[in-house]
Amino acid sequence: MAESLRIWFLASEVAPFAKTGGLADVAGSLPGALKKLGMDVRVGLPYYRMVKEGGFSVRKVLEGLEVPLGDRVLRGNVLETTTEEGIPVYLFARDDLFDRPYLYSTPKGDYPDNLERFTYLSRAAILFAKQAGLDFDLIHCHDWQTGLIPAYLKTLYRADSFFSRAASVFTIHNLGYQGLFPQDKLPICGLPASEFHPEGLEYWGQISLLKAGIMYADAITTVSPRYSQEIQTPEFGLGMDGTLRKRSADLYGILNGADYHVWDPARDVHVPANYSPGKMAGKRRCKESLIQEMGLEPSLRKSPLLGMISRLDFQKGLDLLVQILDEVLALDVGLVVLGSGDERIQKAIQAAAERHPGHVGLEIDFNEPLAHRIMAGADMFLVPSRYEPCGLTQIYALKYGTVPIVRATGGLDDTIQAFDPKSGKGTGFKFVPYEPKALLDQIKKAVKTYHNGSAWGKVVKNGMKADFSWDESARKYVLLYKKVKKGNKMETRG
Ligand code: ADP
């Protein structure tokens, strides 16, 4: 058995407890894969309303944890639950901060006190570890919501012997969310003013919690090799490319894995019929049932059905789809879209969908079971993102025999091979320029291939055979943990 490291794993969303996107899928499945490799993992997240109402069995493990926040000291309880794999999950409760209908933002915009909310989480995670004697070798934090943790370890708690062995790894799931707040809010974080400079957490006169994670962590990872390169360039760096280039010696790209306990058509509990590569009749039933559920014309049974499941966000390329929707539907296809998020994007897609009753099924909601039914019932899956750190839906789509049509960027480019009808190799369709016509051309190509039964059979099968399970990626994380843990870690700051 490999040397067991104690990992304290902090994220702002963890499936199945709380989810808005791929971070939750990763934080919900990577710990189990690490445990299989002998790691001793504990997970922490806020006790949101979504967790409270999720029917999980929880017990209180600490009452009245005292957490400094600006000039106040907040007291909050810590609850515990466990995952199916027996991993302890700690929930930081503070109803004024977390008992709300959404995790980060309403459809109209961010909660105004997100700095207070996630400073609380970050500081509570450290203080709870000490108070509960939860000794750890390494803290693995994710995205801006936990970016202060590496900064605390390198500043406020640097001299505290309890944390003397604690190294930190910070994973960027999406560089587009930078945790930016005005400089005058620095006292909320409790960090000394001397840390507010461009080599610390200052980003052009503002506080950036993402930058704090990048600058103070012992190692930084992002969720695909391609994205780890892209984010060091001005085109994809969203203003952080210089910072990332400074840390490039400690920056790694490790591809996300898929949790096939949850995302596998052969055992999916949400779909009307199960299927596998040798037994595809179930997929036809899933398609028929989806057509009926979404109120589409029954005749679409014989036509290609396109699916899309997405946060409604500028990143996701829905504007491309809206611009070509009339031409796409002229190809005699059906379209099913499930999305939630930005109100303006929602209105644009609603207006376009209303022009095509019976051919477009649109559901504005966050609906996990429906996401599974679309994965299984569609023939093709659209991911036309502007940028995509890894992307999980295209990976799930492969397993469901739902052929991805993606933009060749970030993890989409790493995970999908363009189908070549001559060699019969490849798993999907890809376009490069961020232009409506480029997407339309690939949809046309996919539709043409669909009508050529044997070529379609090949691309479907190639995708279903591809393996993106966590094992290999989890092994890469373990190697990295060993490299950065104290004793043989490289000192990166101060
Ligand atoms: P991102 O993290 O940028 O949102 P990913 O592709 O990495 O994108 O992960 C998205 C995850 O969120 C997938 O599990 C997908 O099924 C899920 N998802 C996105 N939007 C919805 C929705 N409206 N309803 C249900 N699940 C959704």
Side-chain angles (χ1 to χ4, degrees):
M1 172 76 70
E3 174 199 10
S4 179
L5 296 178
R6 290 159 303 180
I7 315 292
W8 186 204
F9 195 101
L10 266 301
S12 58
E13 54 182 272
V14 180
F17 307 105
K19 170 167 168 174
T20 68
L23 168 60
D25 289 1
V26 172
S29 54
L30 175 57
L34 293 169
K35 186 178 179 194
K36 272 211 283 183
L37 296 173
M39 300 295 109
D40 177 1
V41 193
R42 278 146 216 278
V43 175
L45 78 153
Y47 191 46
Y48 299 108
R49 182 179 301 174
M50 200 188 251
V51 188
K52 254 186 180 175
E53 294 177 350
F56 304 101
S57 104
V58 298
R59 65 181 186 101
K60 199 190 299 165
V61 285
L62 202 141
E63 188 158 327
L65 177 71
E66 293 191 351
V67 181
L69 195 77
D71 52 14
R72 296 182 296 161
V73 174
L74 302 189
R75 289 164 61 85
N77 295 340
V78 184
L79 313 173
E80 185 183 352
T81 182
T82 31
T83 68
E84 274 179 15
E85 300 95 343
I87 293 170
V89 176
Y90 297 100
L91 302 160
F92 295 95
R94 205 39 232 200
D95 284 353
D96 56 338
L97 300 177
F98 301 123
D99 187 2
R100 300 186 186 180
Y102 298 92
L103 302 196
Y104 318 119
S105 52
T106 73
K108 293 196 190 303
D110 290 343
Y111 286 128
D113 58 347
N114 275 346
L115 179 65
E116 286 80 353
R117 301 172 75 224
F118 293 102
T119 297
Y120 179 87
L121 171 69
S122 301
R123 199 107 186 234
I126 291 189
L127 293 170
F128 169 68
K130 181 165 177 181
Q131 205 157 318
L134 199 157
D135 209 359
F136 57 89
D137 299 298
L138 192 134
I139 193 157
H140 188 167
C141 326
H142 301 265
D143 279 352
W144 70 264
Q145 291 89 343
T146 55
L148 282 172
I149 292 175
Y152 288 145
L153 291 177
K154 287 271 162 67
T155 57
L156 300 187
Y157 301 100
R158 189 183 181 92
D160 188 324
S161 61
F162 183 81
F163 300 107
S164 62
R165 286 167 46 84
S168 59
V169 170
F170 180 67
T171 297
I172 302 167
H173 295 260
N174 192 331
L175 200 65
Y177 299 89
Q178 303 188 338
L180 294 172
F181 300 97
Q183 177 185 359
D184 62 11
K185 285 199 153 192
L186 190 64
I188 301 286
C189 310
L191 288 171
S194 56
E195 297 304 318
F196 189 78
H197 56 82
E199 301 293 309
L201 47 60
E202 177 188 350
Y203 179 76
W204 299 105
Q206 289 185 284
I207 301 164
S208 165
L209 301 196
L210 181 83
K211 187 166 177 189
I214 297 171
M215 291 307 288
Y216 294 87
D218 293 304
I220 306 122
T221 73
T222 189
V223 289
S224 68
R226 174 81 191 262
Y227 193 61
S228 74
Q229 298 303 318
E230 286 177 347
I231 56 178
Q232 298 182 58
T233 66
E235 191 190 345
F236 289 94
L238 300 170
M240 289 281 173
D241 46 299
T243 302
L244 287 157
R245 283 196 299 275
K246 271 189 208 135
R247 299 277 348 242
S248 68
D250 304 312
L251 171 61
Y252 302 82
I254 303 178
L255 194 69
N256 281 339
D259 184 350
Y260 290 133
H261 293 102
V262 180
W263 294 99
D264 177 355
R267 53 177 142 170
D268 193 321
V269 294
H270 300 295
V271 301
N274 292 111
Y275 60 91
S276 56
K279 295 187 182 151
M280 292 295 278
K283 186 161 179 71
R284 285 189 287 281
R285 275 194 46 209
C286 290
K287 180 173 174 179
E288 282 168 20
S289 143
L290 182 64
I291 286 173
Q292 196 178 16
E293 175 177 358
M294 301 304 289
L296 301 182
E297 300 267 344
S299 61
L300 285 170
R301 246 177 38 247
K302 299 216 166 76
S303 307
L305 184 61
L306 281 77
M308 185 164 181
I309 302 162
S310 182
R311 286 184 298 113
L312 299 181
D313 184 278
F314 172 80
Q315 173 199 343
K316 296 293 183 179
L318 285 122
D319 50 324
L320 293 187
L321 182 63
V322 167
Q323 287 176 67
I324 55 169
L325 197 60
D326 295 349
E327 285 146 289
V328 171
L329 292 165
L331 300 170
D332 187 27
V333 301
L335 172 69
V336 174
V337 179
L338 167 64
S340 62
D342 189 293
E343 205 174 63
R344 284 156 305 179
I345 301 176
Q346 181 184 317
K347 287 197 173 131
I349 181 106
Q350 263 165 338
E354 276 162 16
R355 293 200 304 272
H356 303 280
H359 287 261
V360 180
L362 174 64
E363 184 75 23
I364 302 293
D365 188 13
F366 191 91
N367 184 333
E368 183 86 20
L370 179 58
H372 286 250
R373 293 197 293 274
I374 294 174
M375 255 329 149
D379 297 298
M380 301 168 189
F381 196 83
L382 298 175
V383 197
S385 307
R386 260 194 183 77
Y387 70 92
E388 195 57 73
C390 176
L392 288 168
T393 52
Q394 84 283 6
I395 294 178
Y396 303 153
L398 289 174
K399 189 77 177 170
Y400 283 74
T402 306
V403 177
I405 302 172
V406 305
R407 173 139 188 271
T409 182
L412 297 172
D413 203 26
D414 279 342
T415 53
I416 304 301
Q417 278 76 48
F419 180 64
D420 172 9
K422 285 202 193 88
S423 67
K425 294 209 170 101
T427 52
F429 296 85
K430 290 206 269 198
F431 64 100
V432 179
Y434 189 80
E435 288 164 10
K437 183 173 177 313
L439 169 60
L440 181 63
D441 286 347
Q442 290 308 312
I443 294 176
K444 283 183 179 162
K445 209 163 157 184
V447 168
K448 197 170 158 206
T449 311
Y450 176 90
H451 292 297
N452 171 348
S454 73
W456 191 251
K458 274 190 196 133
V459 63
V460 166
K461 201 159 277 169
N462 294 346
M464 292 182 87
K465 276 199 307 219
D467 181 7
F468 289 95
S469 51
W470 265 110
D471 305 356
E472 198 191 323
S473 297
R475 256 190 284 280
K476 288 186 180 153
Y477 276 111
V478 170
L479 286 177
L480 179 65
Y481 293 162
K482 290 188 173 162
K483 198 163 167 184
V484 298
K485 81 168 181 148
K486 297 267 164 107
N488 49 5
K489 102 180 214 330
M490 52 268 190
E491 189 60 43
T492 51
R493 262 185 67 92

